[in-house]
Each structure stands twice: as structure tokens, then as C-alpha cells.
Amino acid sequence: MEKCLLLGNGGREAVIAEYVSKGYKLYSIMPYENPSISECTRSSGGKFIIGDAFNKELVKKFIEEEGIENCIISSDNLLQDGLIDLAKELGLKTFGPTSKGAKIEWSKTYALDIVKEIAPEMIIKNVNITDINTLQKVIDSYEDDSFVVKPEGLTGGKGVKVGGIHFIGKEEGFNYAKSCLEEAGNVIVQDKVEGREFTVTGLTDGKNIVITPTTFDYPYRFDEDKGPGTGGMGCLGFDNGLLPFLTKEDIDKCAKLMKDVLAYVNKESLEFNGVIYGGFFKCNDSIKFIEFNARFGDPESLNILNAIDTPFEELFKNIQNQTLSEENCKFKKINTFTVYAVSPNYAITSSKEPCKFTLDKEEIEKQGVKIYFASTKHIEGKNYESVGNSRLFAVVTVDEDMEEAKKRVYKAMDGNIDSILHYRKDIGNMYAH
């Protein structure tokens, strides 16, 4: 059995670890022991070490000493920092873009420039601003706060702020844009448009692309989509692979743009394989582009991989051989449902004080759900604590009936999750019809 290195340690990596470990010996470098990932490494006969995955000398030494042949990375910061580049230099087969390929995520202006060239009709009016005077003039051109402020770089899904939702009034919007400008040297101000936001995820070998079932994310912290934006409090996917407000033609249009962007990025050399996903708006008369990510989303990955019908080992080999197709990358016609549990401080304060909680993982999973740990470490027995100030763990299930999937997850969580933890109680109530 070949050996595969997985870098990253969130909920996204926890579900990747599960599916990779079914066909490979799994190896990992983590800053702390994620219980889900460590369990998969042990069960596969692999190995993990606690260390800094950004330390390229450490990663190189681990790869060489353990004789690792494959590498998977789906973490935005690790991709930007060139860890796939390192793996390729060492002769590993890789899943994920090089730093140059991942630029479509870590530079919003780069992505917008490509889409302007390829599909200008999908662009929302925007201005890339590099000085304070231009910023003032652009903000002054709006009658009210009907604009969106986008930082240039990576923000973990929490940096984009929408007028009337994340900031109120032009002055507050200006001040946030000014802080982004001072930090990065540029900031994007974009028109606010009316429409339904959605994402389209594609698996790619760099040449071919297979679209996964479409998912619906719940990014706001509190019920009824209130409170600050987060990395995602829950997610669902339908058995037909679509969402109630989307048609196959909508998805096909997005897929074409994504494939054209891949051709642009890979025109000189293979810089991008793995996962590309695009954020879009469905407006009354058109589809508009928002942004690209160069890796699996979280929580979207939890739904997508729990619906995959093709062994990950086979998927990986077809990506390496550039033979990926809908015939060899299949998904079950099943409904998927995910809810994240978080600490009380999540997305509310910047406090990183550990949140200690209890969890009977075995008892909860007996109810037909899976638990995937994210920013959590196991202390002993049923005792856990948070690491940093991010999401703690996800509870996931699949079912032929969406309502049954929803009931199963909430039945498993209600009364069985430590009362100190928070989670949204309305995932699945508000998907758009």
C-alpha cells in the first residue's frame, strides 16, 4: 500500500483523512493532534508527528525518512506557501495546486482579471484601490452602503464584508476598507448585487473537470442568518446534486468558466490540479462571479466526500493520469447534512482561551452520524478542549430523505452535546426554494 501525506488539520482534512486512509497508509504533520486525523493515520498503518507543516525542512525530512510517495493539501495558506511545490520537487504525486496555481484564491485581483478576460459578462462592477484618495472617491460615489469590501488576500472566509449586513453606513464601510488597504496595499470595492449566493465545486486533473454535488452553506453565526460571518455553521446537499433555485444550465455555465480558468492557469505548465470551487450569484437575469477557492471548502467537503461513490485511491490515480471523467468519478444520489459545533466565543471575540467540554463520541455516532474534529484536541476519556478560536467539530449524516437526515443529526446533538457549546438549530430550514 502506498504512503500519502496529508497536510492541514481542520474539519476538511478530517474527512479527507477518512477517505484517503481507505486506500493509502496515511501520514500527517499537525500543530496539535486532531483526534479524527490521528485515528485515521493509526488505522491505516501510517504515522503522524506534531510539528509545523509550514516548516519546509521538517516536511522534507519527514517525506524522505518515511518514503512517502503521494501528497494531498487542501489548506489555503499551505498552498499559497508552496508546500505542493516542495512535494513536486521531491518527486511526489500531488493533489492540489502549486503556489502559482493557487493564486486564483490568494489574489482576488488576479482572479478578477482572468474572469474579466474570459467572461466579462460575469463580472460585478468593482474597483481595485491602491491609495486612500481613490478609496474616498469610490466610497463617495455610492449613495449609501450598497457596496462590498474585499481584502486582497486570504481571510479564512471571514474577510469580505457586505454593506447593510456586516457594516452599516458609508463611514463604517470606508473605515473597514481603509484598514484592508493599510494592511495589504490594495483593497477591492464592489457593487452590492441582489441575488442568491452559491458555490460550485469541481475536481480536476488540470485538464478535465468533474462537478461535484452542489452544496448550500450557512455562513452566519446565529439562527435566521444573523450575526457575523463565519467559516460555515452547517451545510446540506440534495440527492439530485442541485439546489432548489438552480438549474443544470446554471451549473454548466459556472463549470465552463472554471474549466476555462484552469486552461488559462495551466497554459504553460501544470500548476493546478485537485479542487477548484467558485462562488457565484444567481441574479434575475444572469450568473455573476464572486471568487475562486483553490481547495475544498469547509464544511462543503464534509458533504461532498460523504456522497462520493468512487474510492479516493482511484480518483487520485485518474487525476495523476489526467484521465478524470464523470465515468470514473461518481457520486451517490443521496442527501447530505452537516452541523458544526463551536465554542461560545467563536466569531464573537478574538479570545483564544481554551474551551473545555465533554463529548461521548462513540455514543453519538451510534445514532447514525459521524463526528469530524476540527480545532479540537482530546485530553482524556470524554474530555476535550478547543485550540485557538475556530470551529470544534462537525456532525454529518446522509439519507435518501433530507428531513430524516436533518432529524438524525439534531437528535444526536440535542441533549448529547455539552451545554457550553453552540450550534445553529435551523440548518435545513432556510434553503432557498
Side-chain angles (χ1 to χ4, degrees):
M1 186 179 286
E2 288 192 7
K3 300 175 180 180
C4 184
L5 175 64
L6 173 65
L7 297 181
N9 59 297
R12 169 180 52 220
E13 285 76 23
V15 70
I16 294 171
E18 176 189 352
Y19 285 87
V20 171
S21 66
K22 294 177 180 180
Y24 296 90
K25 287 185 178 181
L26 181 65
Y27 288 72
S28 180
I29 301 173
M30 299 180 276
Y32 59 88
E33 184 180 339
N34 177 308
S36 296
I37 299 172
S38 62
E39 180 182 337
C40 290
T41 59
R42 291 189 183 102
S43 67
S44 71
K47 177 181 178 180
F48 71 89
I49 60 172
I50 302 303
D52 181 5
F54 290 91
N55 182 337
K56 293 181 181 178
E57 286 304 314
L58 175 66
V59 174
K60 180 180 179 181
K61 181 181 178 183
F62 189 58
I63 288 171
E64 291 178 341
E65 287 184 350
E66 300 298 334
I68 297 170
E69 302 104 326
N70 307 280
C71 180
I72 295 174
I73 301 176
S74 199
S75 163
D76 48 9
N77 290 293
L78 289 167
L79 292 171
Q80 179 183 5
D81 213 42
L83 272 301
I84 283 289
D85 304 63
L86 173 64
K88 287 169 75 89
E89 287 166 12
L90 295 173
L92 276 67
K93 297 182 285 267
T94 57
F95 179 105
T98 64
S99 181
K100 183 178 177 181
K103 190 176 180 181
I104 62 168
E105 177 169 9
W106 56 260
S107 173
K108 292 184 179 67
T109 52
Y110 175 70
L112 284 167
D113 287 345
I114 296 174
V115 177
K116 280 178 189 174
E117 184 176 329
I118 291 172
E121 73 282 2
M122 297 181 77
I123 288 288
I124 301 168
K125 182 184 174 185
N126 67 87
V127 184
N128 179 31
I129 297 165
T130 57
D131 66 89
I132 193 71
N133 292 331
T134 303
L135 175 61
Q136 188 68 68
K137 288 177 184 176
V138 170
I139 300 298
D140 286 346
S141 71
Y142 287 91
E143 292 185 7
D144 51 28
D145 56 12
S146 296
F147 58 90
V148 177
V149 178
K150 294 187 171 187
E152 163 71 353
L154 300 174
T155 58
K158 307 176 196 65
V160 175
K161 295 193 183 296
V162 180
I165 299 175
H166 303 119
F167 60 82
I168 306 299
K170 291 167 64 171
E171 184 178 355
E172 193 175 329
F174 171 81
N175 288 333
Y176 178 62
K178 180 183 175 186
S179 70
C180 296
L181 175 62
E182 290 172 347
E183 183 174 338
N186 72 312
V187 65
I188 298 163
V189 175
Q190 188 175 73
D191 282 1
K192 180 180 174 182
V193 299
E194 295 299 322
R196 298 308 310 270
E197 187 173 349
F198 65 98
T199 60
V200 176
T201 301
L203 293 162
T204 180
D205 58 17
K207 179 177 64 175
N208 306 295
I209 186 169
V210 174
I211 300 301
T212 74
T214 308
T215 55
F216 188 81
D217 178 34
Y218 291 74
Y220 293 101
R221 176 66 169 79
F222 300 116
D223 287 0
E224 299 180 0
D225 280 354
K226 294 180 179 177
T230 73
M233 294 294 292
C235 192
L236 52 80
F238 291 93
D239 55 4
N240 66 357
L242 297 172
L243 298 176
F245 59 91
L246 293 176
T247 65
K248 187 174 183 304
E249 287 72 27
D250 294 331
I251 301 298
D252 288 346
K253 183 170 185 178
C254 299
K256 183 181 185 306
L257 174 67
M258 290 157 62
K259 188 170 183 178
D260 289 346
V261 168
L262 285 169
Y264 182 98
V265 171
N266 288 330
K267 61 186 174 184
E268 294 176 356
S269 61
L270 180 59
E271 303 291 345
F272 202 116
N273 73 8
V275 178
I276 178 173
Y277 93 74
F280 300 91
F281 268 112
K282 181 168 184 178
C283 303
N284 286 335
D285 57 352
S286 61
I287 300 290
K288 297 295 185 183
F289 167 74
I290 303 173
E291 64 183 6
F292 287 124
N293 283 357
R295 36 75 189 180
F296 274 121
D298 185 353
E300 294 90 343
S301 56
L302 299 161
N303 295 65
I304 290 167
L305 288 177
N306 272 288
I308 199 164
D309 204 24
T310 300
F312 199 93
E313 180 185 12
E314 183 181 327
L315 169 66
F316 197 135
K317 286 178 179 174
N318 283 315
I319 285 176
Q320 298 310 307
N321 296 331
Q322 289 198 306
T323 54
L324 190 68
S325 72
E326 291 182 358
E327 295 304 310
N328 58 39
C329 180
K330 294 183 178 293
F331 294 87
K332 301 168 188 171
K333 295 187 182 300
I334 197 100
N335 298 289
T336 59
F337 194 87
T338 296
V339 177
Y340 253 113
V342 302
S343 66
N345 287 332
Y346 177 58
I348 307 299
T349 75
S350 58
S351 170
K352 294 185 179 180
E353 184 71 24
C355 171
K356 300 180 186 299
F357 63 95
T358 59
L359 180 71
D360 192 334
K361 178 177 180 288
E362 186 177 335
E363 189 60 35
I364 292 174
E365 289 191 332
K366 282 181 182 177
Q367 300 183 56
V369 302
K370 295 179 181 179
I371 290 178
Y372 296 97
F373 288 103
S375 295
T376 296
K377 61 181 178 183
H378 186 210
I379 305 304
E380 61 178 0
K382 299 176 184 177
N383 298 309
Y384 297 81
E385 74 175 29
S386 64
V387 181
N389 186 14
S390 193
R391 295 166 294 178
L392 300 177
F393 59 88
V395 180
V396 182
T397 198
V398 301
D399 200 280
E400 292 180 357
D401 182 271
M402 179 62 80
E403 287 303 311
E404 287 303 314
K406 176 183 167 184
K407 287 178 187 176
R408 187 179 305 123
V409 167
Y410 279 122
K411 182 181 178 184
M413 296 182 80
D414 294 344
N416 293 313
I417 300 293
D418 196 314
S419 60
I420 196 174
L421 304 183
H422 290 194
Y423 56 94
R424 279 186 58 164
K425 308 292 177 62
D426 67 340
I427 305 299
N429 291 2
M430 295 172 36
Y431 43 85
H433 291 280

